[in-house]
Amino acid sequence: SMGSVQETAWNAWANHAGGHIYTLCKKSTFDACRATELPTNPSMATEEQKNAYLQCVWDCFESNTLEWATPQEDEWSQKIQFQDDHCTYATMEPLTKIGKDGHIWRFTPIPDSLQVTNGGEGKCMWDSVTSFSNPKAKDEFISSFGNQNVCDWGADSHIPYDWHVFDKVIIPTDLEEGEYVLSWRWDAYMADQMWTNCADVTITAASNPSTILNDGDECPSSPPVLLPPTPSPQVTPAPFPQPTPSPVTSSPTVAPMPTSTLNCPAGH
């Protein structure tokens, strides 16, 4: 509902770091772009018609960029969850960057292998972690990304498919009720790639202030594992003028590029 805080999540088989953002487009507007800018048979569209259609849908999505929820005491705003176990996760301190039109993107909380060590943007894994939901979460984290002496060269730094990136976003209060298309966009940093996906959602009028269910309400009683403040690991950057693109064969398994058979436009 409008004004509520909702969870989003995504997962990548191959990690290329970078940042991600979520946007909304009213489905009636989305459909109107196709009806007004493309011929009955879209495959017959001219280049000019295609560009007009893409501009129409881009404008629609970018007019409703979702804001990130502010971390609250004893709650997470960003976490990485181990597999499908919603009780086992590491709470992360979100790292952000200002993008087009002042919109705030969130960094992928898992840096790619040697990304930071070689002088690239981002933070070491342990510099972003604020707590673990339980001892298992810490053990699995260490198994995947190494101990506190490891910056970004853990066993799963480039292939973190066991970990899902969760964020909390705020649904605007000034939307019309109805059906919307939710867009997720990931701009990779260590590869010359952009990935998108979309989902159909229904937004209702605001009632009582609402938020999502706290994960701890359904999890076994176990005190979180808190981390004391520690200095950042000392990293000696190597020459790294530009990120080296990874082979294009490495790709996420859950964010296929849109095709003509999907309701999503190219680029969303």
Side-chain angles (χ1 to χ4, degrees), residues 5-6 67-72 76-78 94 106 168-170:
V5 176
Q6 299 294 327
E67 295 183 0
W68 309 104
T70 303
Q72 302 295 321
W76 59 268
S77 176
Q78 185 180 69
R106 275 190 174 177
K168 288 181 180 177
V169 296
I170 302 172

Side-chain angles (χ1 to χ4, degrees), residues 22-264:
Y22 291 92
T23 56
L24 284 171
C25 176
K26 189 75 180 292
K27 191 173 186 302
S28 58
T29 305
F30 180 84
D31 293 338
C33 289
R34 175 168 180 158
T36 58
E37 304 295 349
L38 295 177
T40 304
N41 182 355
S43 65
M44 302 298 291
T46 65
E47 196 66 26
E48 183 178 358
Q49 289 173 318
K50 292 177 183 177
N51 290 337
Y53 168 71
L54 292 175
Q55 188 63 55
C56 182
V57 294
W58 273 115
D59 290 345
C60 180
F61 279 106
E62 291 183 343
S63 66
N64 289 310
T65 299
L66 298 185
E67 295 183 0
W68 309 104
T70 303
Q72 302 295 321
E73 185 178 358
D74 298 327
E75 292 187 6
W76 59 268
S77 176
Q78 185 180 69
K79 69 177 182 179
I80 55 173
Q81 175 183 295
F82 181 69
Q83 298 182 351
D84 292 329
D85 182 357
H86 71 276
C87 295
T88 302
Y89 58 88
T91 300
M92 312 297 285
E93 180 181 8
L95 186 63
T96 60
K97 174 183 285 189
I98 304 298
K100 180 182 176 182
D101 297 329
H103 296 311
I104 299 176
W105 293 59
R106 275 190 174 177
F107 279 68
T108 302
I110 305 173
D112 197 359
S113 182
L114 299 178
Q115 169 187 332
V116 180
T117 299
N118 283 343
E121 66 178 17
K123 295 167 63 175
C124 296
M125 280 294 288
W126 282 89
D127 287 345
S128 296
V129 181
T130 60
S131 66
F132 298 99
S133 60
N134 54 44
K136 176 185 175 183
K138 183 177 181 179
D139 291 342
E140 295 293 352
F141 186 94
I142 292 174
S143 178
S144 292
F145 306 115
N147 60 29
Q148 289 177 285
N149 295 318
V150 176
C151 175
D152 55 2
W153 56 86
D156 296 338
S157 291
H158 185 62
I159 49 171
Y161 49 80
D162 277 334
W163 297 86
H164 304 272
V165 178
F166 279 73
D167 293 283
K168 288 181 180 177
V169 296
I170 302 172
I171 306 303
T173 58
D174 57 352
L175 298 177
E176 296 179 5
E177 291 186 70
E179 296 181 331
Y180 283 78
V181 181
L182 172 69
S183 169
W184 161 83
R185 171 174 167 174
W186 171 30
D187 283 13
Y189 174 68
M190 296 292 284
D192 187 16
Q193 299 175 8
M194 181 188 80
W195 296 90
T196 66
N197 211 332
C198 63
D200 293 322
V201 298
T202 299
I203 295 179
T204 59
S207 51
N208 295 324
S210 61
T211 59
I212 57 172
L213 180 67
N214 190 324
D215 288 330
D217 294 342
E218 296 181 349
C219 297
S221 177
S222 178
V225 181
L226 304 178
L227 298 181
T230 56
S232 302
Q234 297 300 310
V235 177
T236 302
F240 193 68
Q242 293 292 333
T244 302
S246 300
V248 296
T249 53
S250 296
S251 59
T253 58
V254 298
M257 293 296 287
T259 67
S260 58
T261 60
L262 295 177
N263 287 329
C264 283

